[in-house]
Amino acid sequence: CVCVCVCVCVCVCICGDRCGWAVMIDAQSPSGTPSSKQCPQWESSVGIDGKPISEEAARHRQTFRFRCRKCHDTEFCAKCLHTPYHLGYTCEEYVSYQAARKCRFCDCKIALSNPAIMKPEYVRKSKKLQQVILARHLPGAPKASLESLDRIIATSEPLANLCEAAECQERARDGCTHIMKCKHVCIGVRGEKAHIGCMVQGCLGSTSAGGASGKLVASGVVDSGQVAEDLCNICWVEELRKAPCVKLECGHVFHYHCIKTKLETRWIGVRVTFSFMDCPLCKQTMSAAAIKPLIDQSLVLKKL
């Protein structure tokens, strides 16, 4: 009979909310410092900004990402105690990331050279101001006075939060350019008659889901209870805020491109069904001005 003694090193840390002990998620060296070995699968990991994480960020995650077992499996950084853990950034990099201007669709940091950002040297230069306005996907105003151009740029400042990625540029062209009283950009589609209203969680200065009524709503919640940070219930991949959305007559909100794809794809398989026309949440037939042509085509087909 051979007795084998195994020594296991378990790394623990106090939760940021001081509710109890938390345990490390990723493996690390027994000394508590990043292992000299390559972090497993770090090259395929994606950070909070949607970009692949660097090896340095992977080492930081391996060392400082902990999970509290008393706070609904809350993940936090054991070094700076930020909750949730800032995946893809070291503590110092995350402070810089938070202070930087970020794209309203993909959350990537925006370079100061971005054409949508107003620069001091553009003041009193009509041509440069026009370029800024067009970069924000607003209609050009070639005959407008300098005062009018300054006013347009000042009131559309939130629209400058746009990176130069092709996908984000396309979504900006399709998205609503209405700036609400709370200074958030409406996440609806361009040309809509009634704005969805602010859906940013915690925002208390937004208009209601009816758009023009001007009523205040608590926590940026629309009638359906959805918020901008919720995943789209069609794609289940991206948050609602990351693409132009449509609010159906039933009150539920989905990405416009997801609804469009759903209606264009129609049924799956050889059996013809029309459940693709139903709202994924309440099963009522989808109806909204932005998707009316697609719905009408399917209704005609259904009556045949």
Side-chain angles (χ1 to χ4, degrees):
C1 179
V2 178
C3 180
V4 178
C5 180
V6 179
C7 180
V8 179
C9 178
V10 179
C11 296
V12 294
C13 174
I14 286 288
C15 171
D17 292 332
R18 302 293 176 182
C19 67
W21 292 100
V23 295
M24 174 170 286
I25 298 175
D26 300 302
Q28 71 169 17
S29 63
S31 62
T33 57
S35 171
S36 60
K37 296 181 180 180
Q38 187 179 34
C39 298
Q41 300 180 345
W42 71 269
E43 292 178 323
S44 61
S45 299
V46 177
I48 55 177
D49 58 359
K51 292 184 176 182
I53 67 175
S54 64
E55 185 169 4
E56 182 183 5
R59 301 284 182 209
H60 189 280
R61 177 189 65 177
Q62 190 181 24
T63 307
F64 296 111
R65 187 173 68 149
F66 281 73
R67 174 179 294 146
C68 179
R69 294 191 173 183
K70 292 186 178 180
C71 299
H72 306 289
D73 288 335
T74 299
E75 294 181 10
F76 67 97
C77 177
K79 186 176 181 180
C80 66
L81 298 182
H82 187 276
T83 304
Y85 179 78
H86 40 78
L87 183 60
Y89 293 92
T90 64
C91 299
E92 295 75 16
E93 290 172 342
Y94 187 63
V95 171
S96 175
Y97 171 75
Q98 284 184 305
R101 185 190 288 264
K102 293 178 282 292
C103 177
R104 65 182 189 272
F105 293 118
C106 67
D107 291 333
C108 290
K109 291 173 65 174
I110 300 174
L112 295 178
S113 59
N114 192 296
I117 297 178
M118 176 63 181
K119 301 172 180 61
E121 58 267 26
Y122 292 173
V123 176
R124 310 300 296 178
K125 294 181 180 179
S126 178
K127 188 175 181 180
K128 291 291 186 181
L129 298 179
Q130 290 282 359
Q131 291 175 355
V132 172
I133 291 173
L134 292 175
R136 295 179 182 183
H137 295 283
L138 289 168
K143 296 183 180 180
S145 63
L146 284 171
E147 289 72 19
S148 297
L149 295 176
D150 287 339
R151 193 181 310 112
I152 294 172
I153 289 177
T155 55
S156 66
E157 181 60 24
L159 296 176
N161 297 328
L162 178 66
C163 72
E164 298 183 73
E167 185 177 41
C168 294
Q169 290 290 324
E170 181 180 355
R171 292 181 177 185
R173 285 190 290 269
D174 294 336
C176 183
T177 57
H178 175 65
I179 311 296
M180 292 169 286
K181 293 180 179 179
C182 58
K183 304 303 181 184
H184 290 128
V185 180
C186 175
I187 66 171
V189 294
R190 189 171 295 243
E192 60 186 5
K193 295 182 179 179
H195 300 295
I196 293 177
C198 185
M199 294 178 62
V200 177
Q201 191 167 21
C203 180
L204 299 176
S206 57
T207 56
S208 68
S213 63
K215 296 179 182 178
L216 293 179
V217 293
S219 302
V221 180
V222 295
D223 299 343
S224 63
Q226 295 169 286
V227 295
E229 292 76 12
D230 289 341
L231 292 178
C232 171
N233 292 99
I234 295 179
C235 67
W236 292 102
V237 174
E238 292 184 307
E239 298 173 1
L240 292 172
R241 66 183 179 86
K242 293 196 172 184
C245 295
V246 172
K247 182 187 177 187
L248 304 177
E249 289 186 1
C250 62
H252 295 121
V253 179
F254 307 97
H255 290 151
Y256 169 69
H257 69 273
C258 290
I259 296 179
K260 184 179 178 182
T261 301
K262 182 179 174 70
L263 292 175
E264 290 177 342
T265 304
R266 295 181 175 177
W267 53 84
I268 300 176
V270 296
R271 184 184 178 189
V272 178
T273 63
F274 291 89
S275 58
F276 66 88
M277 298 172 58
D278 298 340
C279 170
L281 294 177
C282 66
K283 305 307 178 184
Q284 296 184 44
T285 301
M286 294 190 289
S287 180
I291 59 172
K292 189 176 187 302
L294 291 171
I295 286 291
D296 288 347
Q297 291 175 16
S298 299
L299 287 173
V300 170
L301 184 62
K302 188 177 181 179
K303 291 178 180 178
L304 294 178

